[in-house]
Amino acid sequence: MVRSRGSPPMYACVCHAVTDDDVRDHVKAGACSAKEVRTACGMRPGCGSCVGRIRDLIEQHFTERPGDEVFVAA
């Protein structure tokens, strides 16, 4: 799924109501792994389905160029 900059955020973790923007903010602040993002967001263990989405968002942070569209896993 594609999400353009400026559009409403999407949930990366439904269990803890963490959005893709929350994840990006923590990655920009220095979180480099899904575990670091989960800790920074105050997430406790849940179903675990968000781990792949969080990893994808971290990877995008390190590979995207300014002005690129942001791809969010469905």
Side-chain angles (χ1 to χ4, degrees):
M1 180 180 292
V2 177
R3 182 169 90 85
S4 300
R5 294 192 189 282
S7 62
M10 297 180 69
Y11 283 100
C13 177
V14 176
C15 297
H16 298 283
V18 174
T19 67
D20 56 346
D21 288 339
D22 295 329
V23 173
R24 285 189 189 92
D25 289 344
H26 290 296
V27 172
K28 288 176 188 174
C32 295
S33 69
K35 182 177 181 177
E36 290 176 350
V37 169
R38 290 191 323 262
T39 299
C41 290
M43 297 168 66
R44 295 178 180 238
C47 72
S49 67
C50 62
V51 175
R53 286 188 294 275
I54 291 171
R55 287 181 181 149
D56 289 345
L57 290 165
I58 292 168
E59 183 178 336
Q60 288 172 9
H61 173 78
F62 292 106
T63 59
E64 88 179 9
R65 296 179 310 243
D68 282 353
E69 289 183 324
V70 178
F71 295 90
V72 179

